[in-house]
Amino acid sequence: MLTVHHLGNSQSERIVWLCEELGLPYELVRYDRDATGVAPAAYKALHPLGTAPIVTDGKLALAETGAIVDYILAKNGAGGLALTPDDSEFANYLFWLHYANGSMVPAIMVVLMFSYSGLTEPNDVAKSMMSRLDKAYELSEKRLSTVPYFGGSRFTMADIMMGYPLTRSRTFLPRDLSPYPGIRAFLKRIGDRQAFKRAMAKGDPDMPPLLA
Ligand SMILES: N[C@@H](CCC(=O)N[C@@H](CS)C(=O)NCC(=O)O)C(=O)O
């Protein structure tokens, strides 16, 4: 059986959410961050990469969000969460599916590191990443002001991927969502999903996701 190793308050919540959306049988093992805020030694021992998410399946230990998502969808069927090439929104679906961890989360990480650095004046790299992050919110808002989901008219894996940077990551890097009504409506939509509610309650029962 698949085991999802969830590090509290981290992007591994997406894998819990995915399993709940697909109705998969899975075991959830939860780990708290250590006193310094990173994954504890027991988590790091699971896989050479040592970052969340990690899943195990028999003798397999797999890390890296995109690989885990592809693995689960390929092994279990996508259950309607993946668009196919014949869908008019296929390219948009792929864009948002990969944009989340390809561009938005890395920009969040760099801006977060700058905020921890104690420097008051951002250097050019920090400035560039801040503007990338502004653009991520602007692009998301533009998309969600025309369609209810990142993949268009229906909920897909792209929404699970974009969910983390728009919700949980804001516990680390707060963002005022008042200029983004489309994003706020999207967060309400995903927050109403039973699978999302179950995943968040199991993954981080003491830390509800930021949906507003
Ligand atoms: N690209 C990796 C990034 C993984 C990552 O940085 N995870 C964070 C949690 S959001 C983590 O493990 N932090 C704790 C640590 O580095 O010890 C993925 O998507 O799996």
Side-chain angles (χ1 to χ4, degrees), residues 7-12 14 33 37-40 43-44 49-54 63-66 68 101 105 109 161 164 172:
L7 177 66
N9 200 23
S10 87
Q11 53 189 302
S12 53
R14 288 190 287 211
R33 291 170 181 268
V38 299
Y43 200 93
K44 295 203 174 296
L49 194 57
T51 53
I54 293 172
E64 196 62 51
T65 303
I68 293 170
N101 269 29
V105 172
M109 296 295 280
M161 288 304 293
Y164 172 77
F172 298 99

Side-chain angles (χ1 to χ4, degrees), residues 3 6 21 28 37 55 64 71 83 100 115 123 126 128 138 141 143 147 156 173 177 179-180 189-190 199 203:
T3 300
H6 173 55
E21 290 285 351
L28 178 66
V55 297
E64 196 62 51
Y71 178 84
L83 296 188
S115 77
N123 63 17
S128 155
E138 283 155 22
E141 178 60 25
R143 176 70 174 154
V147 287
T156 67
L173 194 63
L177 293 188
Y180 308 115
R189 253 171 242 127
I190 62 169

Side-chain angles (χ1 to χ4, degrees), residues 9-10 33 103-119 122 126-137 163-177 180 183 187 207 210-212:
N9 200 23
S10 87
R33 291 170 181 268
S103 288
M104 188 167 181
V105 172
I108 290 170
M109 296 295 280
V110 174
V111 176
L112 187 62
M113 288 308 112
F114 172 74
S115 77
Y116 287 166
S117 72
L119 299 172
K127 277 186 197 155
S128 155
M129 287 298 165
M130 285 169 177
S131 97
R132 278 196 201 186
L133 190 50
D134 290 343
K135 189 177 279 183
Y137 277 94
Y164 172 77
L166 293 176
T167 58
R168 184 73 61 191
S169 82
R170 287 187 291 115
T171 61
F172 298 99
L173 194 63
R175 182 96 184 185
D176 173 19
L177 293 188
Y180 308 115
I183 293 176
L187 295 182
M207 195 179 279
L210 296 177
L211 292 171

Side-chain angles (χ1 to χ4, degrees), residues 26-201:
Y26 70 101
E27 187 192 355
L28 178 66
V29 183
R30 207 188 162 284
Y31 304 70
D32 284 319
R33 291 170 181 268
D34 73 11
T36 68
V38 299
Y43 200 93
K44 295 203 174 296
L46 293 166
H47 185 282
L49 194 57
T51 53
I54 293 172
V55 297
T56 49
D57 192 8
K59 288 184 179 161
L60 171 75
L62 187 60
E64 196 62 51
T65 303
I68 293 170
V69 166
D70 281 355
Y71 178 84
I72 291 175
L73 294 180
K75 293 270 283 191
N76 299 283
L81 291 179
L83 296 188
T84 48
D86 55 319
D87 194 298
S88 61
E89 290 280 11
F90 182 58
N92 280 324
Y93 161 75
L94 288 179
F95 173 80
W96 292 105
L97 179 73
H98 294 289
Y99 177 74
N101 269 29
S103 288
M104 188 167 181
V105 172
I108 290 170
M109 296 295 280
V110 174
V111 176
L112 187 62
M113 288 308 112
F114 172 74
S115 77
Y116 287 166
S117 72
L119 299 172
T120 48
E121 216 22 64
N123 63 17
D124 288 344
V125 175
K127 277 186 197 155
S128 155
M129 287 298 165
M130 285 169 177
S131 97
R132 278 196 201 186
L133 190 50
D134 290 343
K135 189 177 279 183
Y137 277 94
E138 283 155 22
L139 289 177
S140 298
E141 178 60 25
K142 197 169 169 203
R143 176 70 174 154
L144 295 171
S145 62
T146 56
V147 287
Y149 296 105
F150 283 100
S153 60
R154 68 182 171 90
F155 179 83
T156 67
M157 190 64 221
D159 301 305
I160 300 180
M161 288 304 293
M162 285 300 292
Y164 172 77
L166 293 176
T167 58
R168 184 73 61 191
S169 82
R170 287 187 291 115
T171 61
F172 298 99
L173 194 63
R175 182 96 184 185
D176 173 19
L177 293 188
S178 53
Y180 308 115
I183 293 176
R184 285 188 277 115
F186 168 76
L187 295 182
K188 165 94 178 65
R189 253 171 242 127
I190 62 169
D192 285 343
R193 296 183 73 80
Q194 293 308 313
F196 179 84
K197 288 182 185 171
R198 284 194 303 274
M200 299 304 135

